[in-house]
Amino acid sequence: MEDKEVSTNKIPRLLGQENYIKSKVLFEAAVNYNDPELWTSITEGNYVPSTATNNSATIELKMKKRDDNALSMLKIGLSWEILTTINHHKTSKDMYDAVIDMFKSNTEPRDIKKDRLKQQLDRFKFKDGERLKSVLQRFTVIVNDIRTADQQISNFELNKKLMSSLSGEWHLWPRT
C-alpha cells in the first residue's frame, strides 16, 4: 500500500453528545474514504505488539505506523475537552471505543434537549408588531436545532405550525 497524504481540513469533528450520530457517520466516512486501512485499525485494532522475527517485525512496524496514523486522525477529529479526557489511550481502537462509550453513555442530556426543542416549537408564536423576516429567522433557528438533534418532523407539520403561529391581525395579502 502506498502512503497517501490526508488533508486534516477534510476530517469532520467528533463534537459531542448532541451531534454524536451525525459526527460519527461523517467521521467514519471521511476516514474510510481517505484510507480504509486506517478505519480498520480504528475499529478492529489491528496493531498487537509482540516479539518478532525479521519479517514479522517489518509487518508489525507497518501496522504500528498505520495505527499511529489512525490515532492521530482521531485526535484531530476530537474537541480539546474530549481529547484531554481520553488522551491516555495508546491505540486507535481503544481511543475510538472510549469516545463511543462516552457519547453513548450520556443519553439523558440529548433527551432533555429534544424535549426542550419540542417545547420551543410548540410555544412558538408570532409577536405583536414583528416583521415576517424576524418570525422566519426565529423559526428557522428552532427547526435547524431540531434537525441537528436528529428529531424527525415533517415539512407539513412545520408549515402548519408556522402558519398557525401567525397573528390573526397579520395579513399575507394587502386589503383592497
Side-chain angles (χ1 to χ4, degrees):
M1 174 190 124
E2 288 181 32
D3 287 338
K4 62 176 159 176
E5 208 166 301
V6 178
S7 171
T8 58
N9 62 354
K10 293 181 182 178
I11 302 169
R13 306 287 282 170
L14 288 166
L15 300 172
Q17 284 88 353
E18 66 278 355
N19 296 314
Y20 157 68
I21 295 169
K22 181 180 179 181
S23 298
K24 180 181 175 219
V25 169
L26 292 175
F27 184 81
E28 175 183 348
V31 174
N32 206 9
Y33 174 78
N34 283 308
D35 190 340
E37 289 184 6
L38 286 184
W39 185 246
T40 300
S41 183
I42 290 171
T43 56
E44 296 176 15
N46 64 2
Y47 168 66
V48 179
S50 65
T51 56
T53 62
N54 285 344
N55 191 24
S56 63
T58 303
I59 293 170
E60 184 178 318
L61 189 60
K62 285 182 180 180
M63 291 173 72
K64 171 73 172 121
K65 182 179 179 190
R66 185 181 307 129
D67 193 67
D68 287 346
N69 288 344
L71 192 61
S72 295
M73 193 169 290
L74 270 171
K75 289 178 180 182
I76 291 167
L78 293 170
S79 69
W80 182 250
E81 293 78 24
I82 295 169
L83 181 59
T84 56
T85 62
I86 62 168
N87 196 37
H88 62 278
H89 294 285
K90 300 300 180 207
T91 67
S92 59
K93 179 170 179 26
D94 290 345
M95 183 174 282
Y96 187 71
D97 289 347
V99 170
I100 299 306
D101 287 345
M102 182 188 306
F103 290 170
K104 279 185 177 178
S105 67
N106 197 356
T107 58
E108 186 178 347
R110 277 188 283 163
D111 293 340
I112 291 169
K113 182 177 181 179
K114 285 181 180 184
D115 290 343
R116 183 181 48 79
L117 291 170
K118 179 74 171 118
Q119 289 171 359
Q120 280 182 346
L121 183 64
D122 290 344
R123 290 189 311 249
F124 183 84
K125 291 190 189 302
F126 173 79
K127 296 175 184 175
D128 288 337
E130 188 175 21
R131 296 186 147 310
L132 181 59
K133 183 177 181 178
S134 175
V135 172
L136 292 175
Q137 285 174 337
R138 286 190 308 113
F139 190 74
T140 301
V141 167
I142 294 171
V143 169
N144 287 339
D145 287 347
I146 287 171
R147 289 189 171 147
T148 300
D150 291 326
Q151 281 184 285
Q152 300 299 321
I153 188 161
S154 71
N155 286 340
F156 175 78
E157 289 296 320
L158 292 172
N159 290 336
K160 189 168 88 172
K161 178 58 185 172
L162 180 62
M163 296 308 289
S164 67
S165 70
L166 298 175
S167 168
E169 299 170 2
W170 201 82
H171 299 284
L172 293 174
W173 307 104
R175 293 184 188 183
T176 56

